[in-house]
Coordinates of all heavy atoms in Angstrom, one line a residue:
M10 N 0.8 -1.2 0.0 CA 0.0 0.0 0.0 C 0.8 1.3 0.0 O 0.5 2.3 -0.6 CB -0.9 -0.1 1.2 CG -2.1 0.8 1.1 SD -3.1 0.2 -0.2 CE -4.4 1.3 -0.2
R11 N 2.0 1.2 0.6 CA 2.9 2.3 0.7 C 3.5 2.6 -0.7 O 3.7 3.8 -1.0 CB 4.0 2.1 1.7 CG 3.6 2.2 3.1 CD 4.7 2.1 4.0 NE 4.3 2.2 5.4 CZ 5.1 2.1 6.4 NH1 6.4 1.8 6.3 NH2 4.6 2.1 7.7
I12 N 3.7 1.6 -1.4 CA 4.2 1.7 -2.8 C 3.2 2.5 -3.6 O 3.7 3.4 -4.4 CB 4.6 0.4 -3.4 CG1 5.7 -0.3 -2.6 CG2 5.0 0.5 -4.8 CD1 6.0 -1.7 -3.0
F13 N 2.0 2.1 -3.6 CA 1.0 2.9 -4.3 C 0.9 4.4 -3.9 O 0.7 5.2 -4.8 CB -0.4 2.2 -4.2 CG -0.4 0.9 -4.8 CD1 -0.7 -0.3 -4.1 CD2 -0.2 0.6 -6.2 CE1 -0.8 -1.5 -4.7 CE2 -0.2 -0.5 -6.8 CZ -0.5 -1.7 -6.0
G14 N 1.0 4.6 -2.6 CA 1.0 6.0 -2.2 C 2.2 6.8 -2.7 O 2.1 7.9 -3.1
A15 N 3.3 6.2 -2.7 CA 4.6 6.8 -3.2 C 4.5 7.1 -4.6 O 4.9 8.1 -5.1 CB 5.8 6.0 -2.8
A16 N 3.9 6.1 -5.4 CA 3.7 6.3 -6.8 C 2.8 7.4 -7.1 O 3.0 8.2 -8.0 CB 3.3 5.0 -7.4
A17 N 1.7 7.5 -6.3 CA 0.8 8.6 -6.5 C 1.3 9.9 -6.3 O 1.1 10.9 -7.0 CB -0.5 8.3 -5.6
V18 N 2.2 10.1 -5.2 CA 2.9 11.3 -4.9 C 3.8 11.7 -6.1 O 3.8 12.9 -6.5 CB 3.6 11.2 -3.6 CG1 4.5 12.4 -3.4 CG2 2.6 11.1 -2.4
I19 N 4.5 10.7 -6.6 CA 5.5 11.0 -7.7 C 4.6 11.5 -8.9 O 5.1 12.4 -9.6 CB 6.3 9.8 -8.0 CG1 7.3 9.6 -6.8 CG2 7.1 10.0 -9.3 CD1 8.1 8.3 -6.9
V20 N 3.6 10.8 -9.2 CA 2.8 11.2 -10.4 C 2.2 12.6 -10.2 O 2.2 13.4 -11.1 CB 1.6 10.2 -10.6 CG1 0.6 10.7 -11.6 CG2 2.3 8.8 -11.1
L21 N 1.7 12.9 -9.0 CA 1.1 14.2 -8.7 C 2.2 15.3 -8.8 O 1.9 16.5 -9.2 CB 0.4 14.3 -7.4 CG -0.9 13.4 -7.3 CD1 -1.4 13.4 -5.9 CD2 -1.9 14.0 -8.3
L22 N 3.4 15.1 -8.4 CA 4.5 16.1 -8.5 C 5.0 16.2 -9.9 O 5.5 17.3 -10.3 CB 5.6 15.7 -7.5 CG 5.2 15.8 -6.0 CD1 6.4 15.4 -5.1 CD2 4.9 17.3 -5.7
A23 N 5.0 15.1 -10.6 CA 5.5 15.2 -12.0 C 4.6 15.9 -13.0 O 5.0 16.3 -14.0 CB 5.9 13.8 -12.5
G24 N 3.3 15.9 -12.7 CA 2.3 16.4 -13.6 C 2.5 17.9 -13.9 O 2.6 18.3 -15.1
P25 N 2.7 18.8 -12.9 CA 2.9 20.2 -13.2 C 4.2 20.4 -13.9 O 4.4 21.3 -14.7 CB 2.9 20.8 -11.8 CG 2.1 19.9 -11.0 CD 2.4 18.6 -11.5
A26 N 5.3 19.6 -13.6 CA 6.5 19.8 -14.2 C 6.5 19.4 -15.7 O 7.1 20.0 -16.5 CB 7.6 19.0 -13.6
Y27 N 5.7 18.4 -16.0 CA 5.5 18.0 -17.4 C 4.8 19.1 -18.2 O 5.0 19.3 -19.3 CB 4.8 16.6 -17.5 CG 4.6 16.2 -18.9 CD1 5.7 15.7 -19.6 CD2 3.4 16.2 -19.5 CE1 5.5 15.3 -21.0 CE2 3.2 15.8 -20.8 CZ 4.2 15.3 -21.6 OH 4.0 14.9 -22.8
A28 N 3.8 19.7 -17.5 CA 3.0 20.7 -18.2 C 3.8 22.0 -18.4 O 3.4 22.7 -19.4 CB 1.7 21.0 -17.3
Q29 N 4.8 22.3 -17.8 CA 5.6 23.4 -18.0 C 6.5 23.3 -19.2 O 7.0 24.3 -19.7 CB 6.4 23.8 -16.8 CG 5.6 24.2 -15.6 CD 6.5 24.5 -14.4 OE1 7.7 24.5 -14.5 NE2 5.8 24.9 -13.3
A30 N 6.8 22.1 -19.7 CA 7.6 21.9 -20.8 C 6.8 21.3 -22.0 O 6.9 20.1 -22.2 CB 8.8 21.0 -20.4
P31 N 6.0 22.1 -22.7 CA 5.3 21.6 -23.8 C 6.2 21.1 -24.9 O 7.3 21.6 -25.1 CB 4.4 22.7 -24.2 CG 5.1 23.9 -23.8 CD 5.9 23.5 -22.6
N32 N 5.7 20.3 -25.8 CA 6.4 19.7 -26.9 C 6.3 20.7 -28.0 O 5.4 20.5 -28.9 CB 5.9 18.4 -27.2 CG 6.8 17.6 -28.2 OD1 7.9 18.2 -28.6 ND2 6.3 16.6 -28.8
I33 N 7.2 21.7 -28.1 CA 7.2 22.7 -29.1 C 8.6 22.6 -29.9 O 9.6 22.6 -29.2 CB 7.0 24.1 -28.6 CG1 5.6 24.2 -28.0 CG2 7.2 25.1 -29.6 CD1 5.3 25.5 -27.3
N34 N 8.5 22.6 -31.2 CA 9.7 22.6 -32.0 C 10.2 24.1 -32.0 O 9.6 24.9 -32.7 CB 9.4 22.1 -33.3 CG 10.7 21.9 -34.1 OD1 11.8 22.2 -33.6 ND2 10.6 21.5 -35.4
L35 N 11.3 24.4 -31.4 CA 11.7 25.8 -31.3 C 12.6 26.2 -32.6 O 12.8 27.3 -32.8 CB 12.5 26.0 -30.0 CG 11.8 25.9 -28.7 CD1 12.7 26.1 -27.5 CD2 10.6 26.9 -28.7
I36 N 13.0 25.2 -33.3 CA 13.8 25.5 -34.5 C 13.2 24.8 -35.7 O 13.5 23.7 -36.0 CB 15.3 24.9 -34.3 CG1 15.9 25.5 -33.1 CG2 16.1 25.3 -35.6 CD1 17.3 25.0 -32.8
P37 N 12.2 25.5 -36.3 CA 11.6 24.8 -37.4 C 12.5 24.8 -38.6 O 13.5 25.5 -38.7 CB 10.4 25.8 -37.7 CG 10.8 27.1 -37.1 CD 11.7 26.8 -36.0
E38 N 12.2 24.0 -39.6 CA 13.0 23.9 -40.8 C 13.0 25.3 -41.5 O 11.9 26.0 -41.6 CB 12.5 22.9 -41.8 CG 12.7 21.4 -41.3 CD 11.6 21.0 -40.2 OE1 10.6 21.7 -40.2 OE2 11.9 20.2 -39.4
L39 N 14.1 25.7 -41.9 CA 14.3 27.0 -42.6 C 13.6 27.0 -43.9 O 13.9 26.1 -44.7 CB 15.7 27.4 -42.7 CG 16.5 27.6 -41.4 CD1 18.0 27.9 -41.6 CD2 15.9 28.7 -40.6
Q40 N 12.8 28.0 -44.2 CA 12.1 28.0 -45.5 C 12.8 29.1 -46.3 O 13.1 30.2 -45.9 CB 10.6 28.4 -45.4 CG 9.9 27.3 -44.5 CD 8.4 27.8 -44.3 OE1 8.0 28.9 -44.7 NE2 7.7 26.9 -43.7
S41 N 13.1 28.7 -47.6 CA 13.8 29.7 -48.5 C 12.7 30.6 -49.0 O 11.5 30.3 -49.2 CB 14.5 29.0 -49.7 OG 13.6 28.3 -50.4
R42 N 13.1 31.9 -49.2 CA 12.2 32.9 -49.7 C 12.3 33.0 -51.2 O 13.3 32.8 -51.8 CB 12.5 34.2 -49.0 CG 12.5 34.1 -47.5 CD 12.5 35.5 -47.0 NE 11.1 35.9 -46.9 CZ 10.7 36.7 -46.1 NH1 11.4 37.4 -45.3 NH2 9.4 37.1 -46.1
T43 N 11.2 33.3 -51.8 CA 11.2 33.4 -53.2 C 11.7 34.8 -53.6 O 11.8 35.7 -52.7 CB 9.7 33.3 -53.8 OG1 8.9 34.4 -53.2 CG2 9.1 32.0 -53.5
P44 N 12.2 35.0 -54.8 CA 12.8 36.3 -55.2 C 11.7 37.5 -55.1 O 12.1 38.6 -54.8 CB 13.2 36.1 -56.7 CG 13.4 34.6 -56.8 CD 12.4 34.0 -55.9
E45 N 10.5 37.2 -55.3 CA 9.4 38.1 -55.2 C 9.3 38.6 -53.7 O 9.2 39.8 -53.4 CB 8.1 37.7 -55.7 CG 8.0 37.4 -57.2 CD 8.5 36.0 -57.5 OE1 8.6 35.1 -56.7 OE2 8.9 35.8 -58.7
E46 N 9.4 37.7 -52.8 CA 9.3 38.0 -51.4 C 10.5 38.8 -51.0 O 10.4 39.7 -50.2 CB 9.2 36.7 -50.5 CG 7.9 36.0 -50.7 CD 7.9 34.7 -49.9 OE1 9.0 34.2 -49.6 OE2 6.8 34.3 -49.5
K47 N 11.7 38.5 -51.5 CA 12.9 39.2 -51.2 C 12.8 40.7 -51.7 O 13.2 41.6 -51.0 CB 14.2 38.5 -51.7 CG 14.5 37.2 -51.1 CD 15.7 36.6 -51.8 CE 16.0 35.2 -51.1 NZ 17.1 34.6 -51.7
E48 N 12.3 40.8 -52.9 CA 12.1 42.2 -53.4 C 11.1 43.0 -52.7 O 11.3 44.2 -52.5 CB 11.7 42.1 -54.9 CG 12.8 41.6 -55.9 CD 12.2 41.4 -57.3 OE1 11.1 41.9 -57.6 OE2 12.9 40.8 -58.1
A49 N 10.1 42.3 -52.3 CA 9.0 43.0 -51.5 C 9.6 43.5 -50.1 O 9.3 44.6 -49.6 CB 7.8 42.1 -51.2
D50 N 10.4 42.6 -49.5 CA 11.1 43.0 -48.2 C 12.0 44.1 -48.4 O 12.1 45.1 -47.6 CB 11.8 41.8 -47.7 CG 10.9 40.7 -47.1 OD1 9.8 41.0 -46.8 OD2 11.3 39.6 -46.9
A51 N 12.8 44.1 -49.5 CA 13.7 45.2 -49.8 C 13.0 46.5 -50.0 O 13.4 47.6 -49.5 CB 14.6 44.9 -51.0
A52 N 11.9 46.5 -50.8 CA 11.1 47.7 -51.0 C 10.5 48.2 -49.6 O 10.5 49.4 -49.4 CB 10.0 47.4 -52.0
R53 N 10.0 47.3 -48.8 CA 9.5 47.6 -47.6 C 10.5 48.3 -46.7 O 10.3 49.3 -46.0 CB 8.9 46.4 -46.9 CG 8.0 46.8 -45.7 CD 7.4 45.5 -45.1 NE 6.7 44.6 -46.1 CZ 7.0 43.3 -46.3 NH1 8.0 42.8 -45.6 NH2 6.4 42.7 -47.1
D54 N 11.7 47.7 -46.6 CA 12.8 48.3 -45.8 C 13.2 49.7 -46.3 O 13.5 50.6 -45.5 CB 14.0 47.4 -45.8 CG 13.8 46.1 -45.0 OD1 12.9 46.1 -44.2 OD2 14.5 45.1 -45.2
K55 N 13.3 49.8 -47.6 CA 13.7 51.1 -48.2 C 12.6 52.2 -47.9 O 13.0 53.3 -47.5 CB 13.8 51.0 -49.7 CG 14.2 52.3 -50.4 CD 14.4 52.0 -51.9 CE 14.8 53.3 -52.5 NZ 14.8 53.3 -54.0
A56 N 11.3 51.8 -47.9 CA 10.3 52.8 -47.6 C 10.3 53.2 -46.1 O 10.1 54.3 -45.7 CB 8.9 52.2 -48.0
Y57 N 10.6 52.2 -45.3 CA 10.7 52.5 -43.8 C 11.9 53.4 -43.6 O 11.8 54.4 -42.8 CB 10.9 51.1 -43.1 CG 11.2 51.3 -41.7 CD1 10.2 51.7 -40.8 CD2 12.5 51.0 -41.2 CE1 10.5 51.8 -39.4 CE2 12.8 51.2 -39.8 CZ 11.8 51.6 -38.9 OH 12.1 51.7 -37.6
K58 N 13.0 53.2 -44.2 CA 14.2 54.0 -43.9 C 13.9 55.4 -44.5 O 14.4 56.4 -43.8 CB 15.4 53.4 -44.6 CG 15.9 52.2 -43.8 CD 17.1 51.6 -44.5 CE 17.5 50.3 -43.8 NZ 18.6 49.6 -44.5
E59 N 13.3 55.6 -45.6 CA 12.9 56.9 -46.0 C 11.9 57.6 -45.2 O 12.0 58.8 -45.0 CB 12.3 56.8 -47.5 CG 13.4 56.4 -48.6 CD 12.8 56.2 -49.9 OE1 11.6 56.4 -50.1 OE2 13.6 55.9 -50.8
S60 N 11.0 56.9 -44.6 CA 10.0 57.5 -43.7 C 10.7 57.9 -42.4 O 10.3 59.0 -41.8 CB 8.9 56.6 -43.4 OG 9.4 55.5 -42.6
L61 N 11.7 57.3 -42.0 CA 12.5 57.7 -40.8 C 13.3 59.0 -41.1 O 13.5 59.8 -40.2 CB 13.5 56.6 -40.3 CG 12.9 55.4 -39.7 CD1 14.0 54.4 -39.3 CD2 12.1 55.7 -38.5
K62 N 13.7 59.2 -42.3 CA 14.4 60.4 -42.7 C 13.5 61.6 -42.6 O 14.0 62.7 -42.5 CB 15.1 60.3 -44.0 CG 16.2 59.3 -44.0 CD 16.8 59.1 -45.4 CE 17.9 58.1 -45.4 NZ 18.5 57.9 -46.8
K63 N 12.2 61.4 -42.9 CA 11.3 62.5 -42.9 C 10.9 63.0 -41.5 O 10.4 64.1 -41.4 CB 10.0 62.1 -43.6 CG 10.2 61.8 -45.1 CD 8.9 61.3 -45.7 CE 9.2 60.9 -47.2 NZ 7.9 60.4 -47.8
I64 N 11.2 62.3 -40.4 CA 10.9 62.8 -39.1 C 11.9 63.9 -38.7 O 13.1 63.6 -38.7 CB 11.0 61.6 -38.1 CG1 10.0 60.5 -38.5 CG2 10.7 62.0 -36.7 CD1 10.1 59.2 -37.7
P65 N 11.4 65.0 -38.3 CA 12.3 66.1 -37.9 C 13.0 65.8 -36.6 O 12.4 65.1 -35.7 CB 11.4 67.3 -37.8 CG 10.1 66.8 -37.5 CD 10.0 65.4 -38.2
D66 N 14.2 66.4 -36.4 CA 14.9 66.2 -35.2 C 14.3 67.1 -34.1 O 14.0 68.2 -34.4 CB 16.4 66.6 -35.3 CG 17.1 65.6 -36.3 OD1 16.7 64.4 -36.3 OD2 18.1 66.0 -36.9
A67 N 14.1 66.6 -32.9 CA 13.5 67.4 -31.8 C 14.6 68.2 -31.2 O 15.5 67.7 -30.5 CB 12.9 66.4 -30.8
K68 N 14.6 69.5 -31.5 CA 15.6 70.4 -30.9 C 15.0 71.2 -29.8 O 15.8 71.8 -29.0 CB 16.0 71.4 -32.1 CG 16.7 70.7 -33.2 CD 17.2 71.6 -34.2 CE 17.9 70.9 -35.4 NZ 18.3 71.7 -36.5
A69 N 13.8 71.2 -29.5 CA 13.2 71.9 -28.4 C 13.3 71.0 -27.2 O 13.5 69.8 -27.2 CB 11.7 72.1 -28.6
S70 N 13.3 71.7 -26.0 CA 13.5 71.0 -24.7 C 12.3 70.2 -24.5 O 11.1 70.5 -24.8 CB 13.6 72.0 -23.6 OG 13.6 71.4 -22.4
S71 N 12.5 69.0 -24.0 CA 11.4 68.1 -23.7 C 10.9 68.2 -22.2 O 10.3 67.2 -21.7 CB 11.7 66.6 -24.0 OG 12.9 66.3 -23.2
D72 N 11.2 69.3 -21.6 CA 10.8 69.5 -20.2 C 9.4 70.1 -20.1 O 9.3 71.2 -20.5 CB 11.8 70.4 -19.5 CG 11.6 70.5 -18.0 OD1 10.8 69.8 -17.5 OD2 12.2 71.5 -17.4
P73 N 8.4 69.3 -19.7 CA 7.1 69.8 -19.7 C 6.8 70.9 -18.7 O 5.9 71.8 -18.8 CB 6.2 68.6 -19.5 CG 7.1 67.7 -18.7 CD 8.4 67.9 -19.3
W74 N 7.7 71.0 -17.6 CA 7.5 72.0 -16.6 C 8.5 73.2 -16.8 O 8.6 74.0 -16.0 CB 7.7 71.4 -15.2 CG 6.6 70.5 -14.9 CD1 6.5 69.1 -15.1 CD2 5.4 70.9 -14.2 NE1 5.3 68.6 -14.6 CE2 4.6 69.7 -14.1 CE3 4.9 72.0 -13.7 CZ2 3.3 69.7 -13.4 CZ3 3.6 72.0 -13.1 CH2 2.8 70.8 -13.0
G75 N 9.1 73.2 -17.9 CA 10.1 74.2 -18.1 C 9.7 75.6 -18.1 O 10.3 76.5 -17.6
N76 N 8.5 75.9 -18.6 CA 7.9 77.2 -18.6 C 7.3 77.6 -17.2 O 6.9 78.7 -17.0 CB 7.0 77.4 -19.7 CG 5.8 76.4 -19.7 OD1 5.7 75.6 -18.8 ND2 4.8 76.6 -20.6
V77 N 7.1 76.6 -16.4 CA 6.5 76.9 -15.1 C 7.6 77.3 -14.1 O 7.3 78.2 -13.3 CB 5.7 75.7 -14.6 CG1 5.2 75.9 -13.2 CG2 4.6 75.3 -15.6
R78 N 8.7 76.6 -14.2 CA 9.8 76.9 -13.2 C 10.5 78.2 -13.6 O 10.7 78.5 -14.8 CB 10.8 75.8 -13.2 CG 10.4 74.6 -12.5 CD 11.5 73.6 -12.4 NE 11.0 72.3 -12.8 CZ 11.5 71.7 -13.8 NH1 12.5 72.1 -14.5 NH2 11.0 70.5 -14.1
S79 N 11.0 78.9 -12.6 CA 11.7 80.1 -12.9 C 13.2 79.7 -12.8 O 13.6 78.8 -12.2 CB 11.4 81.2 -11.8 OG 11.8 80.8 -10.6
T80 N 14.0 80.5 -13.6 CA 15.4 80.1 -13.6 C 16.2 80.8 -12.4 O 17.3 80.4 -12.1 CB 16.0 80.6 -14.9 OG1 15.8 82.0 -15.1 CG2 15.4 79.8 -16.1
D81 N 15.6 81.9 -11.9 CA 16.4 82.6 -10.8 C 16.1 81.9 -9.5 O 15.1 81.2 -9.3 CB 16.0 84.1 -10.6 CG 14.9 84.5 -11.5 OD1 14.8 84.1 -12.5 OD2 14.1 85.3 -10.9
T82 N 17.0 82.1 -8.6 CA 16.9 81.4 -7.3 C 15.8 82.2 -6.5 O 15.6 83.4 -6.6 CB 18.2 81.5 -6.5 OG1 18.6 82.8 -6.3 CG2 19.3 80.7 -7.2
P83 N 15.1 81.5 -5.6 CA 14.1 82.2 -4.8 C 14.7 83.2 -3.9 O 15.8 83.0 -3.3 CB 13.4 81.1 -4.0 CG 14.3 79.9 -4.1 CD 15.1 80.1 -5.3
K84 N 14.1 84.4 -3.7 CA 14.6 85.4 -2.9 C 14.2 85.0 -1.4 O 13.1 84.6 -1.1 CB 14.0 86.7 -3.2 CG 14.1 87.0 -4.7 CD 14.6 88.5 -4.9 CE 14.6 88.9 -6.3 NZ 15.4 88.4 -7.2
T85 N 15.2 85.2 -0.5 CA 14.9 84.9 0.9 C 14.2 86.1 1.5 O 14.5 87.3 1.3 CB 16.2 84.7 1.7 OG1 17.0 85.8 1.5 CG2 16.9 83.4 1.1
S86 N 13.2 85.9 2.3 CA 12.5 86.9 3.0 C 13.1 87.2 4.2 O 14.2 86.7 4.6 CB 11.0 86.4 3.2 OG 11.0 85.3 4.0
A87 N 12.5 88.2 5.0 CA 13.1 88.6 6.3 C 13.2 87.3 7.2 O 12.3 86.4 7.1 CB 12.2 89.6 6.9
P88 N 14.2 87.2 8.1 CA 14.3 86.1 8.9 C 13.1 85.9 9.8 O 12.5 86.9 10.2 CB 15.6 86.4 9.8 CG 15.9 87.8 9.6 CD 15.2 88.3 8.3
A89 N 12.7 84.7 10.0 CA 11.5 84.4 10.8 C 11.7 84.7 12.2 O 12.8 84.5 12.8 CB 11.1 82.9 10.6
K90 N 10.7 85.2 12.9 CA 10.8 85.5 14.3 C 10.8 84.2 15.1 O 10.2 83.2 14.7 CB 9.5 86.3 14.7 CG 9.4 87.6 14.1 CD 8.2 88.3 14.6 CE 7.9 89.7 13.9 NZ 6.7 90.3 14.3
P91 N 11.5 84.2 16.2 CA 11.6 82.9 17.0 C 10.2 82.7 17.6 O 9.5 83.7 18.0 CB 12.7 83.1 18.0 CG 12.9 84.6 18.0 CD 12.5 85.1 16.7
R92 N 9.7 81.5 17.6 CA 8.4 81.2 18.1 C 8.4 81.3 19.7 O 9.4 80.8 20.3 CB 8.0 79.9 17.7 CG 7.7 79.8 16.3 CD 7.2 78.5 15.9 NE 6.0 78.6 15.0 CZ 5.3 77.6 14.7 NH1 5.5 76.4 15.1 NH2 4.2 77.8 13.9
T93 N 7.5 81.8 20.3 CA 7.4 81.8 21.7 C 6.2 80.9 22.1 O 5.2 80.9 21.4 CB 7.2 83.2 22.3 OG1 6.0 83.8 21.7 CG2 8.3 84.1 21.9
K94 N 6.4 80.2 23.2 CA 5.3 79.3 23.7 C 4.2 80.2 24.4 O 4.6 81.2 25.1 CB 5.8 78.4 24.7 CG 6.6 77.2 24.0 CD 6.9 76.2 25.0 CE 7.6 74.9 24.3 NZ 7.8 73.9 25.3
T95 N 3.0 79.8 24.2 CA 2.0 80.6 25.0 C 1.3 79.6 25.9 O 1.3 78.4 25.6 CB 0.9 81.1 24.0 OG1 0.4 80.1 23.2 CG2 1.6 82.2 23.1
G96 N 0.7 80.0 26.9 CA 0.1 79.1 27.8 C 1.0 78.7 28.9 O 2.1 79.1 29.1
S97 N 0.5 77.7 29.7 CA 1.3 77.3 30.9 C 2.3 76.2 30.5 O 2.1 75.5 29.5 CB 0.4 76.7 32.0 OG -0.2 75.5 31.4
T98 N 3.4 76.1 31.2 CA 4.4 75.1 30.9 C 4.3 73.9 31.7 O 5.0 72.9 31.5 CB 5.8 75.8 31.1 OG1 5.9 76.1 32.5 CG2 6.1 76.9 30.2
T99 N 3.3 73.9 32.6 CA 3.1 72.6 33.4 C 2.2 71.7 32.7 O 1.3 72.1 31.9 CB 2.5 73.0 34.7 OG1 1.2 73.7 34.5 CG2 3.4 73.9 35.5
N100 N 2.4 70.4 32.9 CA 1.5 69.4 32.3 C 0.5 69.0 33.2 O 0.3 68.7 34.1 CB 2.4 68.2 31.8 CG 3.2 68.7 30.5 OD1 2.9 69.7 29.9 ND2 4.2 68.0 30.2

């Protein structure tokens, strides 16, 4: 009876481990491309590179809070008066 229990435990523990490694072929056979597909890819790449050249360079600052912040240092006001306690000092 203990053998059946041990076998059941092994099967239950091996089930999730087997499910994590599905049988997938990670390296499929390489398929050669036809000359038409190669030409289409080359035309697509050329159009992509030309479209990238049309994008203007961003020369402006990308700081969204730049116009809110001031560039000068904050001016210090008059020194604060020392606080005095009011009321009784006994607890």
